[in-house]
Amino acid sequence: MGFFFVSVTSQASADRLAGMSKVEFIALMAMLMALNALAIDIMLPGLQQIGAALGVENENHRQYVVSAYLFGFGFAQLAYGPISDRFGRRRPMLTGLAIYVISSLAVVAVPSFSGLLVLRFIQGIGSAAMRVITISIVRDIYGGRAMAEVMSLIMMVFMVVPVIAPGTGQLILFFGEWHLIFAFMAVIAAAVAIWMYVRLPETLHPEDMRPFTVNSVLGGFRIVLTNRVALCYTIASMFIFGALFGFINSAQQVYVGIYGLGAWFAAAFAAVAVFMAFSSFVNARLVGRFGMRRLSHASLLGFMGITFLWLLVQVFGPQPMPFPLFLAFFALAMFQFGWIGSNFNSLAMEPLGHVAGTASSVLGFMGTIGGGVIGAMIGQAFDGTALPMVAGFFTVSVIGLVFVLIGEKGRLFHAQNAPV
């Protein structure tokens, strides 16, 4: 794997990692980020069992297990950024990991669906540290195309989780019941916490620490929210991620309810995730040559074109759409998504390196809460067909393009944006 890192290696970044290799650094960052995906994807096969065990009669209400986590995850990001800019990256990250582990273990004894939702919200609060601070750590070490390349490699490893997590959850259900899924999450998070504690040094330089005062925090937020490029790419990402959250919310209903896949649900979910992982790998290989804007703009247009064609077939074709055709459309759309996610995030963070923690928290909050609300709307619109989901995909792609055009002053594909 050493040839992956030629373009992102520098003596300065190596010094800041205190001997940790690039391979290990990317693997650890990917595992920290992957705990977020694990908290969602591993339980999807068990939603039906969770609903039955806790007396949830409306099948759309089972989606709240995902939504409660996302809202805790989103709101907590506002706090972790300023805190990590003041106290460094390590202590807030380890605190978040501890919250994640404890809340996961507490679910094992939860007596009601409402109690489960509260604990999922708390689990999201802990998980927010992994999202905000991981990106801040990467920004501490890298910038520009090097950051986009590293983030693509992190996302490539991160995308392995949706490939294996549903199957892992299904395997756990073969040998036990749904509480064991949460115990498994606690064990994995504890192992990652130990790895980080032993190996990762503090990456925030003392001179970059910001005071943790109301004026300082509001000032950091003002810097983020008044930067046109950062704000527009964040809003565009929010809508695109809303499509992904919408699918996650209704995946079990689509795959099992419409297409009757049963235990094959995990395999179908993994098949699409493989395309996303491969897309992130390709992006990492190409972004240094072509740049973040050219790749992400092309993929956004591709996402919009594919979902428009998908919508036409969904409306005017046979009902339900043949499953191989549905899966082909979905995989092609998610391949584009793999180029959009890491590049849009890097473009939003690029002008904000001097307030990386606060920037990551504000951008993460907007993306997660906004995307979670959009995804919940798409998921709750489920009517026994895939039409609400497909229509939602096309709609968010159009809105995302509008905000990219605003951020880039109407220009696409140029290698370097004009000063903000």
Side-chain angles (χ1 to χ4, degrees):
M1 291 183 65
F3 66 92
F4 289 169
F5 308 103
V6 172
S7 63
V8 299
T9 301
S10 71
Q11 186 59 47
S13 62
D15 291 343
R16 297 185 78 171
L17 291 176
M20 176 183 269
S21 71
K22 299 293 188 300
V23 176
E24 184 182 1
F25 174 74
I26 289 176
L28 177 56
M29 294 301 100
M31 285 303 301
L32 288 165
M33 290 279 284
L35 290 174
N36 301 325
L38 184 70
I40 297 173
D41 298 329
I42 195 172
M43 70 180 49
L44 295 180
L47 286 180
Q48 189 171 9
Q49 189 180 114
I50 291 172
L54 299 178
V56 182
E57 297 180 0
N58 187 325
E59 67 174 25
N60 278 1
H61 290 175
R62 298 197 300 257
Q63 299 176 15
Y64 296 157
V65 176
V66 175
S67 298
Y69 171 85
L70 289 176
F71 284 121
F73 177 68
F75 281 110
Q77 291 182 59
L78 286 174
Y80 281 115
I83 289 172
S84 71
D85 277 345
R86 169 61 182 87
F87 299 103
R89 312 306 189 197
R90 278 173 53 90
R91 284 183 289 173
M93 179 79 87
L94 291 169
T95 300
L97 284 162
I99 294 171
Y100 186 104
V101 171
I102 293 170
S103 59
S104 299
L105 290 175
V107 170
V108 175
V110 72
S112 65
F113 188 64
S114 59
L116 172 63
L117 296 184
V118 170
L119 288 172
R120 284 286 285 170
F121 184 86
I122 295 172
Q123 187 185 36
I125 290 174
S127 188
M130 280 75 89
R131 194 277 178 194
V132 172
I133 302 175
T134 297
I135 294 175
S136 300
I137 291 171
V138 175
R139 185 62 186 87
D140 288 341
I141 306 299
Y142 300 103
R145 293 186 180 184
M147 180 182 176
E149 185 173 351
V150 170
M151 284 301 301
S152 292
L153 291 167
I154 290 172
M155 291 299 292
M156 181 187 71
V157 180
F158 167 79
M159 287 301 175
V160 172
V161 174
V163 174
I164 64 175
T168 303
Q170 190 72 64
L171 183 64
I172 291 172
L173 293 176
F174 283 147
F175 294 98
E177 42 80 57
W178 62 271
H179 292 96
L180 296 178
I181 292 175
F182 288 88
F184 178 82
M185 279 192 276
V187 171
I188 297 297
V192 174
I194 294 171
W195 181 9
M196 182 205 150
Y197 178 80
V198 172
R199 295 291 297 155
L200 184 69
E202 178 58 60
T203 60
L204 181 65
H205 279 185
E207 61 268 25
D208 293 330
M209 290 184 176
R210 294 171 56 85
F212 190 58
T213 64
V214 173
N215 288 337
S216 175
V217 172
L218 291 179
F221 279 33
R222 191 178 303 113
I223 291 171
V224 173
L225 296 177
T226 56
N227 187 289
R228 188 191 72 253
V229 171
L231 182 61
C232 287
Y233 273 104
T234 298
I235 296 175
S237 296
M238 176 184 77
F239 278 95
I240 300 299
F241 272 92
L244 180 64
F245 292 150
F247 169 72
I248 289 172
N249 279 324
S250 52
Q252 197 267 346
Q253 292 163 289
V254 171
Y255 281 148
V256 178
I258 297 177
Y259 290 107
L261 296 185
W264 288 100
F265 161 72
F269 195 93
V272 174
V274 166
F275 272 76
M276 295 176 68
F278 179 66
S279 174
S280 293
F281 168 75
V282 174
N283 184 74
R285 304 297 293 156
L286 296 179
V287 70
R289 178 179 178 184
F290 295 104
M292 297 175 282
R293 285 177 170 84
R294 289 172 177 166
L295 292 181
S296 62
H297 296 171
S299 59
L300 178 59
L301 293 175
F303 186 85
M304 185 169 64
I306 291 167
T307 54
F308 178 67
L309 181 59
W310 189 6
L311 180 60
L312 290 178
V313 176
Q314 180 67 41
V315 172
F316 299 108
Q319 299 298 324
M321 183 186 302
F323 181 68
L325 183 59
F326 173 90
L327 196 62
F329 273 125
F330 190 38
L332 288 173
M334 288 299 101
F335 185 88
Q336 312 303 314
F337 182 91
W339 287 21
I340 295 171
S342 58
N343 288 322
F344 274 22
N345 192 74
S346 297
L347 285 165
M349 286 290 292
E350 174 57 23
L352 305 172
H354 57 301
V355 286
T358 299
S360 183
S361 69
V362 175
L363 304 183
F365 165 77
M366 293 175 62
T368 304
I369 294 297
V373 170
I374 294 165
M377 292 170 61
I378 294 173
Q380 291 298 309
F382 180 78
D383 60 357
T385 75
L387 180 59
M389 185 185 77
V390 179
F393 275 31
F394 175 67
T395 301
V396 300
S397 69
V398 173
I399 297 172
L401 177 61
V402 169
F403 278 99
V404 169
L405 288 170
I406 294 172
E408 298 289 356
K409 296 183 177 181
R411 299 171 60 203
L412 297 178
F413 301 111
H414 59 293
Q416 180 62 47
N417 191 42
V420 177

